[in-house]
Amino acid sequence: FNRFYPELKLWDRHLVVVMISGFLVQHWIKSVEETGHGARRRESLDAAAHLEETLVMGLRMCAGLSHKHWESRSGGRSIEDVFGGSSRFWAAVNDGLLVFDAQGLRASPRGMLVLDAISSELLAALDASLANLGSSASPS
């Protein structure tokens, strides 16, 4: 089922093709009935991409990321192990945009408003942390 479908329209005496948004609920329902889900394709993620998804999606939830959930996804590395070396992480915490406490990591109500920018900084810190882990794990 396509979210957009082409339709011919007459515009300024020319026939043009426009894409019309048309999410077809009946196709989604049929897919759920047949397969148990409405996903059209599945994608396998490597460990780093899975951790990025965990971070970004977790911060979009009010509860955020618990320490236990993060460590189960990060191979036992704590949130502080991964982000503690990032001055931008601590700046977001100190500015009240992120809450980092005994429960875990979550965006504050003010942080939710700028979460895309914060996530971009955290993803850069995560990538740097993973790169450092990879280089320290390789033989000298």
Side-chain angles (χ1 to χ4, degrees), residues 59 92 96-98 106-118:
L59 288 177
L97 300 174
L98 291 176
R106 62 191 173 282
S108 69
R110 259 184 350 114
M112 283 287 195
L113 298 174
V114 292
L115 193 53
D116 286 345
I118 295 170

Side-chain angles (χ1 to χ4, degrees), residues 7-18:
E7 189 172 291
L8 293 174
K9 294 283 185 180
L10 189 61
W11 181 71
D12 194 29
R13 294 181 294 165
H14 298 283
L15 196 59
V16 296
V17 176
V18 294

